Amino acid sequence: MDGRRSAARRGADGRAGRDGQAVPSATVGRLPGYLRALEATAAAGAVLTSSDELAERAGVTPAQLRKDLSYLGSYGRRGVGYDVAHLREQVTVALGLADVRRVLLVGVGNLGHALANYAGIAERGFVLVGLVDADPAVVGTTVAGLVVEPADDLAAVVARTGATIAVLTTPAAVAQQVCDALVAAGVVGVLTFAPCALRVPPHVDVRAVDVASELQILAFHDRARSAGGGAS
Amino acid sequence: MDGRRSAARRGADGRAGRDGQAVPSATVGRLPGYLRALEATAAAGAVLTSSDELAERAGVTPAQLRKDLSYLGSYGRRGVGYDVAHLREQVTVALGLADVRRVLLVGVGNLGHALANYAGIAERGFVLVGLVDADPAVVGTTVAGLVVEPADDLAAVVARTGATIAVLTTPAAVAQQVCDALVAAGVVGVLTFAPCALRVPPHVDVRAVDVASELQILAFHDRARSAGGGAS
DNA sequence: TAGATTGTTAATCGATTAACAATC
DNA sequence: TAGATTGTTAATCGATTAACAATC
């Protein structure tokens, strides 16, 4: 309101919070956790909460939580705390979950099948609008209430459904070409489970989940523990 | 060999690379990607490679790759490049994959079932040694060649199998108590898919994968794109 | 008013980048 | 030798932390 920060420092990528400041990507990565913490707090019947309580639930420090929330705006009251419903609404808006996002899943194998049936997706602001697979044996079957469509129709499915986000659970060997097709069709966010790096244009966002890599990172620490063990 | 850096700067957590320096956690997080890149290079038949080629495959810059590898040691030759087989061996050792790590999976639902059958786990230095579930209808069934054991036997299963790493795919409501039991039984690394923060003692490492959170992060950028769109 | 709790500042810390000397 | 490419340095950048003034 006071306009002192009106010379907006906007990030190169245009990810702007209140007042036009960019929200740091590390902060963006923690917002879903804060939203979960707020939902749990609301479910417990609380109307007010504090940075201490939310931080405890989210597994961060109170200082970090307050700093992160400050990039979105000033939604608490000093000496009082945060209104649970109001803050929840603000974080929801900040994350772009005020509108439902349409998600397309490509690759209906073991993992794709499990993800298509994962209730958490629908419960948290998304709607699965399409399933695509290259295997003729899978095409035409119904999974999670949707009929699997052929990979050749990928562009048409994106156009028809208006999907902006895709989940990629294909073999690594075809991940890049499927990703290219998704991007060409207009998808701007890709969540990939394929164990390979994906190249995308700057306007597209990729998040990669690789189960084996996560295990390897755990193995690193396990090794360090065994090898270093004992003295200190 | 020259001992100049023998006044080892060891990280507080004891995660030491060559010469006792700690390997930064950001670097550790990229090592699995480098290992994948090396495997792809080896599969293509190359004996020598360069930071340019590896970085391209891993999706990072050559400077970052060289910096990361420098924390492990000096395994390249100036003016020449890296020996693929040798570097692969060194990264494997650094990640603690020289010995096979035993993995226990808790929660054999949709997702747990898919992960148990995921070939990538066995292919990358791990062996699945046990499956545990609380549902009497699931206990006793065979999945991925293993008989599912009851949750009450969790400690005994950890002891019998010698598992040091656990994959947690239970409902969020029981994730913390299962995690506590795993830690009490001696597990030192947990990969959780439950959408909630887990509290563990300092000697235990947790990696959290939350599909809905990943989608929400993509939604943030999608929103920023629509809202900010147009000018510039 | 006194106590509580936020939002912000400033200091610290860690990660990334670019350039280049070392060296094959 | 000349060209190539690493390993390292130093500068920059971004993230975290701690303290506290603002304010309810």
Side-chain angles (χ1 to χ4, degrees):
Chain A
M1 295 278 183
D2 67 5
R4 259 183 296 165
R5 281 175 301 174
S6 61
R9 280 164 290 141
R10 183 183 290 261
D13 52 9
R15 299 163 193 172
R18 190 192 65 155
D19 286 3
Q21 303 115 312
V23 180
S25 67
T27 295
V28 173
R30 284 185 293 264
L31 291 181
Y34 299 160
L35 190 54
R36 279 193 325 222
L38 282 162
E39 284 160 2
T41 306
V47 170
L48 277 177
T49 186
S50 65
S51 60
D52 272 31
E53 184 185 29
L54 282 178
E56 165 74 15
R57 279 194 204 268
V60 301
T61 65
Q64 180 157 74
L65 179 129
R66 291 200 302 275
K67 183 89 174 114
D68 283 337
L69 292 183
S70 77
Y71 290 110
L72 307 183
S74 299
Y75 298 129
R77 274 200 293 167
R78 292 153 122 101
V80 178
Y82 300 93
D83 179 277
V84 175
H86 183 239
L87 184 56
R88 182 181 175 181
E89 176 65 18
Q90 295 304 325
V91 175
T92 298
V93 168
L95 275 171
L97 302 172
D99 310 313
V100 168
R101 303 276 151 181
R102 289 179 288 276
V103 176
L104 174 69
L105 188 145
V106 186
V108 191
N110 263 336
L111 182 59
H113 205 284
L115 292 176
N117 283 302
Y118 176 46
I121 292 181
E123 282 164 14
R124 299 216 249 153
F126 301 92
V127 57
L128 190 62
V129 295
L131 299 176
V132 169
D133 200 288
D135 183 350
V138 173
V139 171
T141 62
T142 299
V143 174
L146 292 167
V147 175
V148 179
E149 304 184 62
D152 288 346
D153 295 356
L154 192 144
V157 175
V158 171
R160 189 190 76 229
T161 59
T164 54
I165 292 174
V167 176
L168 195 51
T169 45
T170 65
V174 299
Q176 182 65 60
Q177 77 185 59
V178 170
C179 180
D180 291 345
L182 287 165
V183 169
V187 163
V188 293
V190 177
L191 173 56
T192 177
F193 289 79
C196 61
L198 292 181
R199 210 158 317 279
V200 293
H203 75 281
V204 176
D205 208 46
V206 172
R207 305 278 307 173
V209 170
D210 181 359
V211 174
S213 288
E214 296 295 333
L215 289 176
Q216 289 179 337
I217 293 166
L218 289 175
F220 174 88
H221 296 125
D222 193 359
R223 171 210 66 103
R225 218 170 276 113
S226 341
S232 113
Chain B
M1 296 278 183
D2 67 7
R4 258 185 295 165
R5 280 176 300 175
S6 61
R9 280 164 291 141
R10 182 183 290 263
D13 52 8
R15 299 161 193 174
R18 191 193 65 156
D19 286 2
Q21 304 115 312
V23 180
S25 66
T27 295
V28 174
R30 284 185 294 263
L31 291 181
Y34 298 160
L35 190 54
R36 279 194 324 223
L38 282 163
E39 285 160 0
T41 306
V47 169
L48 277 177
T49 187
S50 66
S51 60
D52 272 30
E53 184 185 27
L54 282 177
E56 166 74 16
R57 278 193 204 268
V60 301
T61 65
Q64 179 157 74
L65 180 129
R66 291 200 302 276
K67 183 89 174 112
D68 283 337
L69 291 183
S70 78
Y71 290 110
L72 306 183
S74 300
Y75 299 128
R77 275 200 293 167
R78 293 174 204 251
V80 177
Y82 300 93
D83 180 277
V84 175
H86 183 239
L87 184 56
R88 181 181 176 180
E89 176 65 17
Q90 295 304 325
V91 175
T92 298
V93 168
L95 275 171
L97 302 172
D99 310 313
V100 169
R101 304 276 150 181
R102 290 179 287 278
V103 176
L104 174 69
L105 189 146
V106 186
V108 191
N110 261 337
L111 182 60
H113 205 283
L115 292 176
N117 283 303
Y118 176 45
I121 292 181
E123 280 164 18
R124 298 217 249 152
F126 302 92
V127 57
L128 189 62
V129 294
L131 300 175
V132 169
D133 200 288
D135 184 349
V138 174
V139 171
T141 63
T142 299
V143 174
L146 291 167
V147 175
V148 180
E149 305 185 62
D152 287 346
D153 296 355
L154 192 143
V157 174
V158 172
R160 189 191 77 231
T161 59
T164 54
I165 291 175
V167 176
L168 195 51
T169 45
T170 66
V174 299
Q176 182 65 61
Q177 76 185 58
V178 170
C179 180
D180 291 345
L182 287 165
V183 169
V187 163
V188 294
V190 177
L191 173 56
T192 177
F193 289 79
C196 62
L198 292 181
R199 212 157 314 278
V200 292
H203 75 282
V204 176
D205 209 45
V206 172
R207 305 278 307 175
V209 170
D210 181 359
V211 174
S213 289
E214 297 296 333
L215 289 176
Q216 290 178 337
I217 293 166
L218 290 176
F220 174 88
H221 295 125
D222 193 0
R223 172 211 64 102
R225 218 169 277 112
S226 343
S232 125

